[in-house]
Amino acid sequence: MDKITIPEHIAIIMDGNGRWAKKRGLPRVKGHYEGAKGVRGIVESCSDIGVKYLTLYAFSTENWKRPKAEIWALMALLKRFLKAELKTMMKNDIRFKTIGDIKKLPSDVRAEIKSVTKKTALNRGLTFILALNYGSRPEIVKAARAIAKECVEGKINPSSIDESVFEKHLDTCDIPDPDLLIRTSGEMRISNFLLWQLSYSEFYITDVLWPDFDKKELKKAVREYSKRERRFGETRKKAVKE
Ligand code: FPP
């Protein structure tokens, strides 16, 4: 059997909760509820197989345009999820972090995020990152603004700005770029997710809807990733020998 390479960092666009519910004649919120159960399983599986970083796109800056009741339900689910999962995170040595502008989230959700982040900060296993009120363009603009401010204040010289300086100003500053991006429910879009960080990631798009994306599906994605030859813009290793 071929050797399986475990990606150090997996990022996932969790899509298809609404379609999952519609197919069953259920309200959209029920799809999100099942989706949250799926998150629990995938976090556990990633921790088990030795993934070091897992980033899940849970709420985008564009998701505020959804009906108020759906937003409210997502926030309530998030709070309940964090409360319920703290014990498992501690048991499995999982460190929790967020990216995105959490200042705009309801204060009770923010308090739960801060508490779980603090309590798990010293854990050394999987780093589990939720992208919340996250959009890649606002993240890039915020970084550019912070760098411009440092230039005006004379703290850095414009000629010293390079990729590593820029990366240090992104929300993901202490997180390596994703090796594998998974998107469920078949859509061929990035949807404003980690535009900078996904430059050299391998993409895996599956028709499976998020609530059905289980451990077996994750293993399928990792097996597919193992078959890819990552070249980072270089020539194929095989072609060099030819
Ligand atoms: C996309 O499905 C999913 C979301 C916008 C949110 C993801 C949320 C969860 C998985 C549940 C809550 C998360 C946590 C971490 C507790 P969609 O509604 O856009 O599906 P559709 O495209 O089929 O309508």
Side-chain angles (χ1 to χ4, degrees), residues 183-230:
R183 180 165 190 148
T184 58
S185 91
E187 237 72 68
M188 303 283 177
R189 289 192 284 273
I190 293 196
S191 303
N192 209 7
F193 188 46
L194 302 173
L195 300 180
W196 172 285
Q197 298 86 341
L198 291 172
S199 294
Y200 286 103
S201 309
E202 294 296 326
F203 284 26
Y204 177 85
I205 294 165
T206 171
D207 286 337
V208 173
L209 306 175
W210 176 252
D212 294 326
F213 190 86
D214 57 9
K215 194 175 183 161
K216 228 174 76 206
E217 294 297 334
L218 177 76
K219 286 200 169 148
K220 234 195 252 177
V222 171
R223 264 202 304 276
E224 167 68 31
Y225 167 80
S226 283
K227 291 188 210 147
R228 307 267 178 94
E229 189 196 346
R230 301 186 74 194

Side-chain angles (χ1 to χ4, degrees), residues 54-231:
L54 170 69
T55 304
L56 302 182
Y57 204 5
F59 196 87
S60 74
T61 44
E62 286 76 28
N63 285 154
W64 296 110
K65 293 176 200 146
R66 294 191 175 206
K68 286 255 176 325
E70 187 175 341
I71 296 173
W72 188 88
L74 278 168
M75 293 298 152
L77 252 180
L78 180 60
K79 185 177 160 192
R80 185 147 32 115
F81 172 86
L82 290 172
K83 257 190 193 307
E85 292 310 299
L86 176 64
K87 219 166 126 193
T88 319
M89 287 191 218
M90 293 311 287
K91 193 179 104 208
N92 294 331
D93 204 20
I94 295 171
R95 179 167 68 130
F96 176 75
K97 280 172 88 73
T98 58
I99 55 171
D101 185 3
I102 63 161
K103 287 197 297 294
K104 297 214 175 91
L105 302 182
S107 61
D108 57 335
V109 177
R110 236 167 39 225
E112 206 54 51
I113 290 171
K114 283 192 181 146
S115 157
V116 177
T117 305
K118 200 166 162 214
K119 286 178 181 147
T120 62
L122 297 177
N123 290 348
R124 285 291 166 262
L126 171 74
T127 299
F128 166 39
I129 305 141
L130 277 184
L132 293 169
N133 189 27
Y134 175 85
S136 199
R137 286 182 174 183
E139 178 194 33
I140 290 171
V141 168
K142 191 174 72 177
R145 202 182 296 128
I147 294 171
K149 189 165 173 275
E150 286 174 33
C151 286
V152 169
E153 290 167 353
K155 290 183 184 149
I156 50 171
N157 192 321
S159 62
S160 70
I161 301 167
D162 58 11
E163 290 183 16
S164 81
V165 168
F166 201 84
E167 271 165 1
K168 284 194 189 87
H169 291 78
L170 294 172
D171 292 3
T172 51
C173 59
D174 51 356
I175 302 164
D177 289 344
D179 302 291
L180 171 64
L181 171 80
I182 298 172
R183 180 165 190 148
T184 58
S185 91
E187 237 72 68
M188 303 283 177
R189 289 192 284 273
I190 293 196
S191 303
N192 209 7
F193 188 46
L194 302 173
L195 300 180
W196 172 285
Q197 298 86 341
L198 291 172
S199 294
Y200 286 103
S201 309
E202 294 296 326
F203 284 26
Y204 177 85
I205 294 165
T206 171
D207 286 337
V208 173
L209 306 175
W210 176 252
D212 294 326
F213 190 86
D214 57 9
K215 194 175 183 161
K216 228 174 76 206
E217 294 297 334
L218 177 76
K219 286 200 169 148
K220 234 195 252 177
V222 171
R223 264 202 304 276
E224 167 68 31
Y225 167 80
S226 283
K227 291 188 210 147
R228 307 267 178 94
E229 189 196 346
R230 301 186 74 194
R231 298 207 295 276

Side-chain angles (χ1 to χ4, degrees), residues 14-19 28 32 35-36 58 63 66 74 81 210:
M14 308 181 287
D15 197 8
N17 293 348
R19 273 162 281 176
R28 290 180 58 79
H32 293 316
N63 285 154
R66 294 191 175 206
L74 278 168
F81 172 86
W210 176 252

